[in-house]
Amino acid sequence: MAISTACKPRKEVLKGDLDDAIFAADFGDLIAVPSKAPPVYRDPAAFFQNTHPARHLRKVIESVFGRLAQTKEGGASIRLSTGFGGGKTHTLMALWHLAQHIADPGMGSELLPGAGRPEQVTCVAVDASKAGVPTFARHGKREIRSLWGEIAWQLAGEKGWRSLGDADDSERQPDESLIQRLFPAGPVLFLLDELVVYMATLSERGQGNLLAFLNKLSAVVNKRPQTVLVVTDPAGQLAYAKESAKLGDGLTSAAIKLDDTFGRKMTDFDPIGDESARVIVRRLFERVDPAAAQAASAAYHLLYERVARELPGSISPQASTSGYAQRIVECYPFHPRLLDTAQGRLGALQEFHKSRGTLRLFARILRTVFESGVDIELVTAGEIDWSSDRIQADLLQRLNRDNFKSAVSADIAMHARELDGGAKCGIHVRVASALLLESIPMQSNSGLDPADLTLAVLRPEEAGPEPSEALDRLVGVSWHTYPMPGGRGWQFRYEPNIVKQIEEGMGQVPREDARARVLAEAQGYFSGPTFTLVPWPHSARQVPESAELQLALCEEERTARAVCAFADDNDPRAPIPRAFQNAIVAVTATASSCENAIDRAQRLLAAEAIDREHRSGDSNKLIREQLKRILPELLRRFRIQTCRAFDRVVLSGGSSYPLEEEFQVPEEQMLQRAHGQACLKKFLDKKGLLYQPGDMLDTPRFLRDVLPGATPLSDKPGVYTTRAIHTRFLSAPGLRLLPDAAIVRQTVMKAVADGKGVVRLSDGRAYDAAGCVEGAEGKRRRMPGALTSLPLDDSTYVTRADSEFGLAWVREDAPGYQEDRETKKTDLPPPVATQVEAGSWEELLALAEERPLMRLELGVRMAAAAKTLAALAQPLGAENLTLNVSVSGTPKDGGWLSFQATDVKPTHPTKPLAIGETLFNSLAEGGSYEAGLTLTFGEKGRTGLAPALQKLAEAASEDVRPVGTFDKPHQASR
C-alpha cells in the first residue's frame, strides 16, 4: 500500500508551515514568556498530542512524579544525560506541563496515569542558557544575580530572595540550612536546564560556588520527601562546544566538572532511548495505518531475503533478519536506513541538531513526496529532492555545505537524470540522492558501498542489482564522485573529479585528431580475410575495379552509395558505372552515431593527455588512481561506440540496410578481436545477399540474363571466354555478391550438364551433356567423361549447345577419314590465351600443368605466418624476391601508428618483417597487419613448377593467400 493512502501527515507538514521555531523547542521561552513559544509547545493539549509516549520518557516522568507523590521516602536527583538533540528539552517541557496541570487527570495521561498523582506541585524551572552575569534574571525591577537567587524567588517570592541577602551573588553562596528554609510545604520539582552553558560564563571562583551550591541543593533534595531535582547536561557531547564560539574552551572543562559532580550523586536517564523513530512519526503524522506498516515490512523482508539468497554480498547482512523487519514496522513510513543516516551521520554534525534537524528534514521530504504523488511503500534517501530550495536550505546552507550545489546541479539534476532518460525519480537519481546525503559529513567513511546503497534505495518491484549497476554508470559520468579510502564505496566531494577534468580537456582535443582515432579503430575492426578492405575513400575513383570481394569502409552514406554505383564519379554529370558491382559492398555510419564516436574519442584522448601529464609525483597520485579506474572504461566505451556506429550496409543499386543487433557480437567479443567482417558476412548470408558455397544460377536464367550480356569474341558471335562470363557475373543486375568465382564455374558446368551449353578448352577438348569430344581435326572422337573443372581465362570458350559453334565443337569425324592436319585449316583453330591469373591454390595448380609461371604473390595478415614466407618460397627458385609490409593501428598507450615497407628485399638490413611484428604487437586490439612476398620468374616465366607448387600448397598455413600470373602455353596448338 502506498504511503499516500496509508498515512496522513499533519497539516503543518503538508502546508509547509514549518519554520525553525516549530522544531526548535525552547524551554526558556516556555517557562518565561509562553506566548513566544509555538502553539505546539505552549498549548498542553497540542503538546501531548504530538508527543510519542516513549518507554524511556514514561520512565522519567513516572520516576519524577512517583517521588513527588511519595510522602515517606526521600527525594531524588535525576540527570537527563543525553546526546545533543536527544530529547531532553522535550522531556523538561513534558514535566513542566504535567506539573502545571497535575490536577487534570486526562492531561498527558499517555505519559502519566491519572491515578496516583500528587494533588499539586511547586515547580521551579530555570533555563540557565538565558542567564547573564552579573545579573542572572530580572523580575520587574528586581535583579537576581545568581542561580540560587532565582530558585529562592521561584520558591518563596521576593521574601525568599531577600532572605539570601549578600549571598545572591555568583561569587558567594548560601549555606544548606538557608536553602532548606526556602522550601514550601508539599511536593517541589526543580527543572534546571543548560547549567553548563551558564557555568562556562563564570569565573573560576564562580564555577566553584555553582558546583558547591548544586551539591548542597542535591543533598537537601535527597533528604526531603516529595522533592525531585532534574538537571540536564550534554552527556560528554563536547561537539556542542563548537556551536558557540563565545563558550570557547571553557565549556569543555565546565562539562567535565559538572559530570564529576553529578556522576557521584545523580541517576542518569535517556528520555528517548531507541524509540526516536516513533517520536518522529508521532510528531509528523496525524494517522499511520498499522496494517500498511506490516505489509511494507513483509514486502521488504521478502525482497531482502531473495536478494541475499540470489546475489550474495549485494546487500547488508542484517537487512534480511526478522529484527530488521521489525525496525521497518517501527520506522514506517520511513526506511530505517534513512533514520540511521539522519541521526547517526548527520546527527554527529554540530550544525545538525539530532532531534529537530531530523524532524525538519523528514518533514521536508514528506512534503515533497506527497506533492509529487509518487507511489512508494517506504520513504528512503532516494526520495530526497535535492532541487528543492527547502532541502538545500536544511542540508547544504544550514550545514555549511553550499559547495555541494555543484554536485546537485551537475550530477543529480543533469547526469543522473540523463541516465534515467529524463525520469524525475529513476534509479540513477535515487542512487545519487542517497549517496549525496551520506556524503554530507565529509568524513573519510562518508558515502556508501554497493551493499549499503542497495539497502538504502532498492524497491520491492526491482530485481536487486539495479542500485549497484546504476552506481557504476553514475560514477562513470559524474563530476564530483570519488572512491572512498580503501575502494569499498563511493562518495561525493566538492572538488571536480577526473571525469570533469576530462570533460574540460575535451575542448582542447582537435576534432580531426578524434576523427582519425575513430577511423583507425573502425578500420581495425573491419579488417579480415573475407573482404579486401578499402578504407575511407573520398570518391568512387579511389576504389579500383576488382573481381575479389571488396569492402569499402566509408565515413558517409553518400560516399558509400557512389562507391558501389560508380567506378569514377569525378564528373558528376557523366559518372562511369562500376563494372564489378557484384563484388563490392560498403559499410558506413549515420551522422549522429559517428559524432557520438568522435565525442568518445575526444574524451579518451583528453584522458590520455591527462595521464601523460600526471605520471609521476605524489601530488598527482589521486589523479593517477582515478585514471587507472576510468581509462580502461573510456577505451572500452570508445571502441564499442565506434564499432557499433558503422552499422549501415550499402550495395549497388542504392540498397541500404541496417546492420541489426542480432548480427553484432557481444561487447566483450567486440573488444577482443576484429569481428566486423564476420558480422557483415553473417548479415549478408542471413539476408540472402551473398552467394553460398554450392550455389549456382539455374540454366534458363543464366542463358537469359547473364550469357547474352557477356562480351563475345569479335569474330565468333555467340562465343564467349570464361573470363568474359566471369566479368558478366560481376556486373549483371539482380545478382547477389560473389565471394569467389565458384558460382561462375558451377553455373556454366550446370548449363553443360543440362544440355544447354558447350565448353571448349584450350587443348581443343569440347564438353557437352553427353561427354567430351577431343582429338586433332579430322580425328575428333567422343570420349567418356564429364567436365569437372573450368579455368576462367581467355583460352576457355563457352557457347550455347544449339549454336553453330557449339554443334561444330562436339561433332565427331567419320571413321577412316584422314587428312593432313599440317596443310588443312580447321573451322576454328584452338585459341591461344594471353596471360591469366589464378587466385586460389586449385587454379594455381591447374594452370601450372600447362603454362609458365611468371609471378607469384604470397600474402598474409598474421605476423606469425609472415615469418614462413621466405622458407615457403625457397624451393621455387625465383629470379627475384621483394617484400611488402604494412602495419597500422592504435598503440596501447594511445596515439596512432602507421608503418609501410614496399618492394624491399627480404634481407634488407632494416629487417622490415621484424619491425612490422614488433610494431603490431605494440598495438591495441583492432590493429591491422599485412605482408606479402612477390616472386618473379623472368621474362619467359618458368614451367614444370606444378610439383613444387603442390608441396607449397600443402606446407602453407590457411592464412597464406596465393595470386599467380601465368603466360600463354609455350606449345599451344595452331
Side-chain angles (χ1 to χ4, degrees), residues 835-856:
Q835 288 190 351
V836 295
E837 189 175 273
S840 68
W841 290 111
E842 178 186 344
E843 293 179 353
L844 198 72
L845 295 173
L847 292 174
E849 293 288 348
E850 57 186 20
R851 292 172 176 264
L853 179 61
M854 308 295 293
R855 175 188 175 95
L856 177 64

Side-chain angles (χ1 to χ4, degrees), residues 382 411-412 415-421 423-435 453 457 462 466-467 469-475 477-478 492:
D411 295 333
I412 298 181
H415 294 127
R417 189 161 294 180
E418 286 177 355
L419 289 171
D420 283 330
K424 189 173 182 181
C425 202
I427 183 63
H428 297 91
V429 169
R430 286 158 43 210
V431 164
S433 297
L435 187 63
L453 177 65
V457 303
E462 294 169 339
E466 291 91 341
E469 291 173 352
L471 178 63
D472 289 340
R473 290 187 289 269
L474 183 68
V475 299
V477 299
S478 293
F492 276 105

Side-chain angles (χ1 to χ4, degrees), residues 760-765 793 795-797 830-831 833 850-851 969 973:
R760 180 178 177 116
L761 301 181
S762 60
D763 60 3
R765 286 179 294 165
D793 55 24
S795 62
T796 304
Y797 297 159
E850 57 186 20
R851 292 172 176 264
S973 298

